[in-house]
Amino acid sequence: MQTYTVSDLLRKEPSVFQSVDIKGWVRTYRANRFIALNDGSTINNIQCVVDFEKFDEALLKRITTGAAIHITGDLVESQGKGQKVEIQVTKLEILGDANPETYPIQPKKHSFEFLREQAHLRTRTNTFSAVMRLRSSLSFAIHKYFNDNGFYYMHTPIITGSDAEGAGEMFRVSNLDAKNPPLNDDGHIDYTQDFFGKETNLTVSGQLEAETYAMSLGKVYTFGPTFRAENSNTSRHLAEFWMIEPEVAFMDLAGNMDLAEDFLKSVLKHILEHNREDLDFLDTRLQNEEKTKPQAERSDMNLIEKLKFVTENNFMRLSYTEAIDILRNCKPNKKKKFNYIINEWGADLQSEHERFLVEKHFKCPVILFDYPANIKAFYMRLNDDGKTVRAMDILFPGIGEIVGGAQREERLEVLKQKMAAIDIPEEDLWWYLDLRKYGTAVHSGFGLGFERLVMFATGMGNIRDVIPFPRTPQNAEF
Ligand code: 4AD
Ligand code: MG
């Protein structure tokens, strides 16, 4: 006798001679006869049929939703609809009870808000198990893509001594006594006495360190957690999120756009090929959710169509300047429907503008490039016009910005000037400047917010529902 997963068994042919052994959690138990058993290996349950006359009543009472059980039985052709095989139970063992009086996950519809409070148990539901299997599969596809394309995986530090990215507020890392920290003569905290002898923070991005490796190993990428202490309580922001950051030597902005587009298409293709059952389940879920919305707000594509649309069509590429022209003259701007009205070149784009371009105007993913220098980071390559930089953002339907990247400033003098303009001391980034001093070259990279990709791939509307234990303002439970 062999131990199988539910996924294995559902693919097998029935045979009464086949005694199988399986462990899992009870999803439902109905009519004192049918156990729907799930072990996480697939969205589908295997039906286990119990002949109640053959088992002790006290034992059968313990088959409740959430209980862990061990079943031995014959794999037979299913009498019911919806499955090829089922298990005729010959032996039943309760491994762990789940008291139905207190077990929070009952076989009924729970709200996502409620399930966030039960994040340790929510993967026992169909939706969250499907989302997290897809999250796992997308991670694998990402590593596979880079591995297949000659990139090295680099681990950039989580604790950083450089505060230069300017991507947002940082979380301090310190082991000084919070109640009684050592002070300087001027009354400020004396960080020379801190663990690292200087002020340190959790990283907001691995980019600057990844650049150092790109300038020796050629093609590298990071995939790790990043931290931002911005107080944005939106459905698209986390204080702890995972970011994928490739960085490539001798690649310009056009190459960067090609890489990002090919990469995104490839990882989405991977899940279309390998995770179809989970995607179909989430597709149906989303279609039901859409039906509750007013007609005008409903999406005209279902989840699978959206994914295929991205994998099969070219992204629209246009400059920031072209986008501003479109936005300035569009209906919602003229009718003052936007919260932020676009009047002039130089305005920072808000999510409402990005979504207008993607969802209403072009109706496809959009890559915007050549942004005004003063709304983008100091390390981006200054164009010859002296006022725009070789930045690119990729905007996705329903999400807005999913990728941010740039060709990097490789000219030492220009970089120094840009740092001086925003008061970044050269001593703080001496190692970053060294890359421009020794063997400098054109290079580029980007950052993909992993949870935003998972949101797009699963059709989930809130970023808190695509990461196991979300960290957001006022919330770090689990
Ligand atoms: O645009 P960002 O800030 O770019 C960087 O950090 C660059 N250093 C990347 C690079 O060029 N290597 O962040 C990149 C992406 C965003 O496009 C977004 O998808 C995601 O990270 N992101 C967040 N995701 C969840 N919660 C947040 N608070 C996020 N902030 C950014
Ligand atoms: Mg950005």
Side-chain angles (χ1 to χ4, degrees), residues 285-450:
R285 184 205 77 78
L286 190 62
Q287 286 180 47
N288 290 334
E289 188 183 271
E290 289 279 309
K291 281 182 203 146
T292 67
K293 291 184 187 166
Q295 191 76 39
E297 285 171 34
R298 287 186 205 167
S299 166
D300 42 10
M301 276 190 243
N302 68 33
L303 181 63
I304 303 288
E305 286 165 346
K306 272 189 212 161
L307 296 179
K308 285 196 172 155
F309 186 84
V310 169
T311 62
E312 286 165 11
N313 290 286
N314 290 336
F315 296 5
M316 182 71 204
R317 299 182 187 189
L318 76 159
S319 70
Y320 166 90
T321 304
E322 291 168 294
I324 284 290
D325 279 341
I326 293 170
L327 289 169
R328 219 183 319 188
N329 296 312
C330 74
K331 250 196 201 156
N333 200 57
K334 290 194 156 158
K335 293 196 165 167
K336 305 219 183 310
K337 288 270 158 64
F338 285 146
N339 290 322
Y340 295 87
I341 304 302
I342 301 281
N343 292 316
E344 285 180 50
W345 191 93
D348 204 354
L349 300 185
Q350 306 296 323
S351 143
E352 56 182 344
H353 309 125
E354 297 175 340
R355 293 186 63 174
F356 172 82
L357 290 172
V358 173
E359 289 159 30
K360 298 281 181 321
H361 191 81
F362 291 111
K363 297 188 194 300
C364 74
V366 169
I367 312 184
L368 290 186
F369 59 89
D370 285 353
Y371 280 76
N374 59 358
I375 58 170
K376 288 290 181 188
F378 75 94
Y379 50 70
M380 297 187 177
R381 173 87 162 58
L382 191 65
N383 279 313
D384 294 342
D385 63 11
K387 58 176 195 175
T388 59
V389 287
R390 307 239 77 192
M392 65 167 205
D393 275 4
I394 302 187
L395 316 177
F396 259 39
I399 307 286
E401 179 191 337
I402 196 164
V403 162
Q407 184 176 320
R408 318 304 185 189
E409 184 54 75
E410 85 284 12
R411 298 163 298 180
L412 181 64
E413 287 312 315
V414 183
L415 187 60
K416 278 185 179 172
Q417 281 162 24
K418 294 185 76 178
M419 284 167 55
I422 51 166
D423 295 326
I424 303 177
E426 287 182 22
E427 310 82 86
D428 283 11
L429 283 182
W430 62 274
W431 51 274
Y432 191 68
L433 290 169
D434 266 5
L435 301 176
R436 279 73 184 168
K437 245 186 242 170
Y438 309 115
T440 192
V442 165
H443 62 287
S444 305
F446 63 83
L448 166 69
F450 185 51

Side-chain angles (χ1 to χ4, degrees), residues 138-284:
L138 280 165
S139 307
F140 172 77
I142 287 164
H143 286 298
K144 182 171 183 327
Y145 178 87
F146 288 122
N147 190 59
D148 288 351
N149 286 282
F151 284 71
Y152 298 108
Y153 179 29
M154 175 196 181
H155 298 117
T156 47
I158 306 282
I159 298 174
T160 174
S162 70
D163 172 21
E165 163 86 10
E169 294 294 308
M170 303 178 99
F171 290 101
R172 182 168 303 142
V173 176
S174 169
N175 74 339
L176 291 176
D177 181 356
K179 283 204 196 97
N180 190 20
L183 300 178
N184 286 324
D185 294 343
D186 61 6
H188 292 123
I189 294 175
D190 180 9
Y191 285 106
T192 63
Q193 294 187 47
D194 205 346
F195 188 89
F196 297 105
K198 66 190 284 196
E199 217 178 320
T200 49
N201 294 289
L202 292 179
T203 189
V204 294
S205 157
Q207 178 199 322
L208 303 194
E209 289 90 351
E211 281 186 55
T212 70
Y213 272 38
M215 296 307 285
S216 52
L217 298 179
K219 296 204 264 185
V220 300
Y221 73 104
T222 70
F223 186 172
T226 49
F227 307 86
R228 296 187 187 182
E230 356 166 40
N231 204 353
S232 7
N233 239 320
T234 79
S235 58
R236 292 181 189 80
H237 287 88
L238 290 166
E240 175 181 286
F241 64 100
W242 287 65
M243 189 154 45
I244 297 99
E245 298 182 274
E247 193 69 32
V248 181
F250 314 115
M251 184 176 78
D252 63 10
L253 189 70
N256 206 18
M257 291 193 245
D258 291 343
L259 173 66
E261 184 169 341
D262 186 55
F263 162 66
L264 286 166
K265 286 177 171 168
S266 162
V267 298
L268 293 175
K269 258 187 219 145
H270 178 93
I271 56 165
L272 280 168
E273 280 165 24
H274 294 90
N275 300 78
R276 203 44 198 261
E277 284 177 340
D278 285 327
L279 283 175
D280 285 339
F281 175 83
L282 292 170
D283 194 356
T284 309

